[in-house]
């Protein structure tokens, strides 16, 4: 079964609004990463948060991690049309294999 | 610098044929990963190479799938006797070391007819 589960599966908002996506996982992790994918092809790494971190910022992105709840959130502030994409969280198992386990993703649409 | 590159970008093949997909990782990256993404789905891990260690093949779906990494750089994913369910986008990623962020190539879209 999938390690990461994103919520919601799809999100549609107006340009300028904030977008929040959530991710839950099942086992202990080393770190959690968020990726963006446009047009079903290559993924772009957005941000990595380690298991001992609680919050991380990068530009308009804010990621939180709650290891007690095994959940993470990605906040995109002041959304732009170019933010339209699918967003995936990915985790690697603590002391396990280094492979990333991805969720099904959240499809974000920013309406002009 | 150059990112991860993959070739071909698209491949259409007949059922039963063998295919080879190539990945050129970022220079200096010791870890290399292959993933598969079926239509509208998340990514499925296939195989992971780290330096000279034995690869982690735990994600390969069948013995028709194999991969090698020559000289610690270029990797080839081979699918023998392709089936229609093999149709997907195959993505390669590399990272400086394990536990670092992974950088993905543009993928190879494989269509088995």
């Amino acid at each position: 079964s999938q390690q990461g589960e994103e919520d919601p599966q799809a999100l549609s908002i107006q340009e300028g609004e904030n977008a929040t996506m959530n991710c839950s996982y099942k086992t202990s992790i080393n770190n959690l990463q968020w990726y963006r994918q446009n047009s079903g092809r290559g993924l772009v790494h957005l941000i990595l948060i380690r298991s001992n971190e609680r919050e991380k910022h990068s530009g308009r992105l804010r990621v939180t991690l709650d290891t007690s709840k095994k959940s993470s959130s990605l906040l995109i502030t002041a959304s732009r049309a170019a933010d339209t994409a699918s967003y995936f969280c990915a985790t690697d198992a603590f002391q396990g294999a280094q492979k990333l386990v991805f969720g099904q993703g959240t499809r974000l649409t920013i309406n002009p | 610098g150059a990112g991860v590159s993959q070739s071909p970008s698209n491949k259409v093949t007949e059922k039963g044929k063998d295919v080879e997909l190539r990945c050129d990782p970022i220079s200096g990256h010791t870890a290399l990963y292959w993933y598969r993404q079926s239509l509208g789905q998340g990514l499925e891990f296939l195989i992971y190479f780290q330096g000279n260690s034995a690869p982690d093949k735990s994600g390969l779906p069948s013995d028709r799938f194999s991969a090698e990494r020559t000289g610690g750089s270029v990797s080839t994913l081979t699918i023998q006797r392709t089936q229609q369910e093999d149709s997907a986008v195959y993505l390669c990623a590399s990272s400086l070391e394990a536990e670092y962020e992974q950088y993905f190539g543009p993928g190879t879209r494989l269509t088995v007819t």
Side-chain angles (χ1 to χ4, degrees), chain A:
Chain A
S1 60
Q2 292 286 351
Q3 167 77 315
E5 298 286 344
E6 282 93 345
D7 168 57
Q9 292 187 345
L11 179 62
S12 181
I13 62 174
Q14 294 302 118
E15 194 167 19
E17 293 180 340
N18 296 341
T20 300
M21 289 160 275
N22 302 296
C23 168
S24 61
Y25 57 93
K26 297 178 180 176
T27 63
S28 296
I29 60 172
N30 281 320
N31 57 59
L32 184 145
Q33 305 183 45
W34 284 91
Y35 287 84
R36 184 184 72 221
Q37 185 179 41
N38 293 87
S39 305
R41 297 304 289 264
L43 277 77
V44 174
H45 180 265
L46 296 177
I47 199 163
L48 179 152
I49 186 165
R50 300 200 182 277
S51 60
N52 61 353
E53 298 176 309
R54 292 297 167 258
E55 187 171 313
K56 205 162 184 180
H57 297 254
S58 176
R60 294 184 295 113
L61 305 180
R62 171 176 168 257
V63 168
T64 62
L65 178 64
D66 187 334
T67 53
S68 67
K69 295 181 180 178
K70 291 186 171 58
S71 67
S72 173
S73 68
L74 170 66
L75 169 67
I76 303 174
T77 61
S79 62
R80 305 168 181 169
D83 295 329
T84 294
S86 292
Y87 291 81
F88 295 89
C89 70
T91 55
D92 64 339
F94 179 71
Q95 294 184 339
Q98 299 308 317
K99 61 187 180 184
L100 290 180
V101 180
F102 287 79
Q104 296 293 319
T106 293
R107 176 66 189 171
L108 176 65
T109 302
I110 308 299
N111 301 305

Side-chain angles (χ1 to χ4, degrees), chain B residues 51-96:
Chain B
N52 295 320
S53 301
D56 177 353
K57 304 179 182 179
S58 61
L60 295 179
S62 78
D63 58 8
R64 296 186 295 105
F65 288 72
S66 63
E68 62 178 19
R69 187 179 186 191
T70 54
S73 180
V74 172
S75 177
T76 302
L77 176 69
T78 301
I79 309 174
Q80 296 178 310
R81 305 180 302 281
T82 52
Q83 303 295 313
Q84 287 187 331
E85 60 262 30
D86 299 334
S87 296
V89 176
Y90 289 81
L91 290 156
C92 174
S94 70
S95 65
L96 188 59

Side-chain angles (χ1 to χ4, degrees), chain B residues 15-16 18 27-28 30 43 64 73 87 89 104:
Chain B
K15 178 182 173 181
D18 298 350
S27 178
T30 63
L43 275 74
R64 296 186 295 105
S73 180
S87 296
V89 176
F104 282 78

Side-chain angles (χ1 to χ4, degrees), chain B residues 5-59:
Chain B
S5 62
Q6 292 186 245
S7 62
S9 57
N10 287 283
K11 176 72 176 178
V12 180
T13 189
E14 293 180 352
K15 178 182 173 181
K17 301 285 189 182
D18 298 350
V19 295
E20 285 190 352
L21 312 179
R22 177 188 169 103
C23 171
D24 283 89
I26 293 173
S27 178
H29 280 193
T30 63
L32 186 148
Y33 311 78
W34 283 98
Y35 296 88
R36 178 171 71 173
Q37 185 176 33
S38 301
L39 185 64
Q41 300 295 309
L43 275 74
E44 172 190 8
F45 166 79
L46 296 177
I47 188 169
Y48 155 64
F49 296 89
Q50 172 62 53
N52 295 320
S53 301
D56 177 353
K57 304 179 182 179
S58 61

